[in-house]
Amino acid sequence: MLITSMLIISMVSGRMICSVLICWLLLVARGDGKPTEQRTRVHQEEPLSTLRHDDKQNFDYDHEAFLGQDEAKAFDRLSPDESKRRLSIIVDRIDSNKDDFVSEDELRLWIEAVQSRHMFEDVEHQWSEFDLNQDGLISWDEYRNVTYGSYLDGPLTETEYNYTHMMARDERRFKVANRDRDMSADRQEFMAFLHPENHEYMKQVVVQETMEDIDKNGDGFIDLKEYIGDMFTAENGLEEPEWVASERQQFSEFRDKNQDGKMDREETLDWILPADYDHAVAEAKHLLHESDSNKDGRLTKEEILNKFDLFVGSQVTNYGEALLRHDEF
């Protein structure tokens, strides 16, 4: 159903976190929670796998986190030799100055380019579905009719989800993304609508949506109970997992900066979109640290290919998809 697919697009920030929110939607539908699973709102640190991140044992976490489960399975179709061959071509592209080494900065720039390409491709993939009159713009009416058409056309049944609030929320986000206020989005504006966390002028609407989700008592703040409740729902008879106590400490020591027992909008912004964390930089440092066997601060093609199982599960390969595109190799 189209509304179901667009619900995920509307509420999240792109493909990288879809699997997490699908699980969240299923939990909401059942009305219960899994007491041992932790969910986070931090957009640049979203845990995309429930597996433990331990590279000493395996790279399953990296594969699920940066590939998604479906793409990770698709990668399994490639033999190690074919994976290395295609990764070798990618390495040549990353080495922008052609000095036969890949630096941390080259890795960062490549990852940033891959991230941007992912967003552009996401817009192009959906564009024709919403630009009904093919005028090169997507109006709010077009988006609303395609996304919520079945809801608008008839009365709700007793068992059907009420999409009124969701539609109003989408309209508010659409208005913010639409910088010239004509209620028709060009590609850049539609990208901001789909991926608000990657656009500076959209950050406040991300904060507002987050607070609306978590602020259960409607006082305009997120207190400790609401903060924990968003990530963890206890079940009768089961002990609270250790990470809950750690999150309480995080709230008291780092989230609630003014120590008033609750998070305001600015504190929420610092939590979900931390200014001091750059995802591309962190991933580049991780790849360099894990692959730089001689510790000279740069990577040779041989070092990268020796760690091919790490790289094909990283953003360097566009969540692994680049390895599966025959036209690029």
Side-chain angles (χ1 to χ4, degrees):
M1 183 176 180
L2 181 57
I3 290 179
T4 302
S5 61
M6 291 313 302
L7 165 62
I8 295 171
I9 294 170
S10 171
M11 294 178 63
V12 303
S13 55
R15 188 178 305 165
M16 287 184 63
I17 57 180
C18 277
S19 60
V20 174
L21 282 204
I22 289 172
C23 292
W24 178 80
L25 290 171
L26 292 174
L27 291 177
V28 171
R30 290 204 313 267
D32 59 14
K34 294 184 178 180
T36 59
E37 290 186 356
Q38 178 180 8
R39 214 173 72 246
T40 178
R41 292 274 178 173
V42 181
H43 285 270
Q44 298 200 45
E45 295 181 303
E46 196 74 45
L48 302 182
S49 173
T50 58
L51 300 174
R52 184 182 179 186
H53 193 183
D54 187 354
D55 287 347
K56 293 180 180 179
Q57 295 188 19
N58 56 56
F59 299 119
D60 290 348
Y61 179 97
D62 297 281
H63 291 178
E64 286 197 10
F66 296 113
L67 288 168
Q69 290 185 359
D70 291 339
E71 287 84 357
K73 292 177 181 177
F75 165 72
D76 289 339
R77 298 197 302 265
L78 292 177
S79 68
D81 287 342
E82 180 63 9
S83 295
K84 290 180 180 180
R85 186 188 73 81
R86 298 189 184 195
L87 182 57
S88 175
I89 296 173
I90 292 175
V91 172
D92 291 336
R93 296 174 183 173
I94 297 173
D95 180 19
S96 57
N97 64 3
K98 305 305 177 185
D99 65 350
D100 296 326
F101 294 98
V102 171
S103 66
E104 179 183 316
D105 196 50
E106 285 174 323
L107 277 173
R108 175 187 62 81
L109 290 172
W110 178 265
I111 292 168
E112 289 174 348
V114 167
Q115 290 174 328
S116 296
R117 187 175 75 171
H118 162 67
M119 291 190 294
F120 278 112
E121 289 180 347
D122 189 26
V123 169
E124 292 303 317
H125 177 71
Q126 299 184 55
W127 190 262
S128 60
E129 186 174 8
F130 293 103
D131 184 14
L132 300 179
N133 62 5
Q134 299 182 357
D135 65 347
L137 298 170
I138 294 175
S139 68
W140 166 248
D141 287 341
E142 287 175 318
Y143 179 84
R144 180 192 60 195
N145 291 337
V146 172
T147 306
Y148 300 101
S150 60
Y151 162 71
L152 296 170
D153 289 342
L156 291 174
T157 66
E158 291 184 1
T159 59
E160 188 173 2
Y161 184 84
N162 190 327
Y163 293 97
T164 303
H165 172 70
M166 190 186 309
M167 185 166 61
R169 187 154 132 162
D170 273 356
E171 184 175 11
R172 180 182 62 198
R173 186 195 284 195
F174 195 93
K175 288 179 178 178
V176 177
N178 183 223
R179 305 189 81 165
D180 55 15
R181 300 295 187 264
D182 63 356
M183 293 304 287
S184 291
D186 59 22
R187 279 172 165 79
Q188 286 294 330
E189 291 169 333
F190 193 57
M191 183 187 299
F193 173 73
L194 294 178
H195 302 276
E197 78 290 342
N198 289 311
H199 295 77
E200 186 68 31
Y201 78 101
M202 296 292 292
K203 287 185 176 181
Q204 287 304 319
V205 78
V206 177
V207 172
Q208 186 169 358
E209 291 175 1
T210 301
M211 296 192 74
E212 288 173 352
D213 289 341
I214 304 176
D215 177 23
K216 301 304 182 184
N217 63 14
D219 66 351
F221 298 92
I222 298 174
D223 59 33
L224 177 59
K225 181 179 179 180
E226 292 166 333
Y227 174 79
I228 296 297
D230 181 62
M231 296 180 282
F232 167 75
T233 302
E235 289 184 354
N236 294 333
L238 292 179
E239 291 186 4
E240 187 177 271
E242 293 182 1
W243 63 260
V244 175
S246 176
E247 281 299 331
R248 287 197 178 94
Q249 184 178 0
Q250 286 285 319
F251 182 92
S252 300
E253 296 182 3
F254 301 105
R255 311 289 186 226
D256 178 21
K257 291 180 168 54
N258 61 8
Q259 297 296 297
D260 65 351
K262 54 193 177 184
M263 290 194 297
D264 58 23
R265 292 180 67 93
E266 288 304 312
E267 289 167 328
T268 301
L269 175 62
D270 289 341
W271 168 40
I272 62 174
L273 293 168
D276 59 351
Y277 183 87
D278 187 300
H279 188 78
V281 171
E283 176 69 1
K285 288 182 180 295
H286 169 67
L287 294 174
L288 182 64
H289 175 76
E290 295 297 329
S291 308
D292 186 14
S293 58
N294 63 3
K295 304 303 177 185
D296 66 349
R298 57 186 183 176
L299 300 178
T300 64
K301 180 181 288 189
E302 181 180 5
E303 287 176 319
I304 292 174
L305 295 182
N306 285 341
K307 284 283 190 175
F308 81 96
D309 51 345
L310 170 66
F311 277 84
V312 296
S314 77
Q315 292 180 57
V316 166
T317 56
N318 196 17
Y319 316 116
E321 292 175 8
L323 290 176
L324 297 170
R325 291 179 180 172
H326 297 287
D327 57 331
E328 295 188 4
F329 301 95

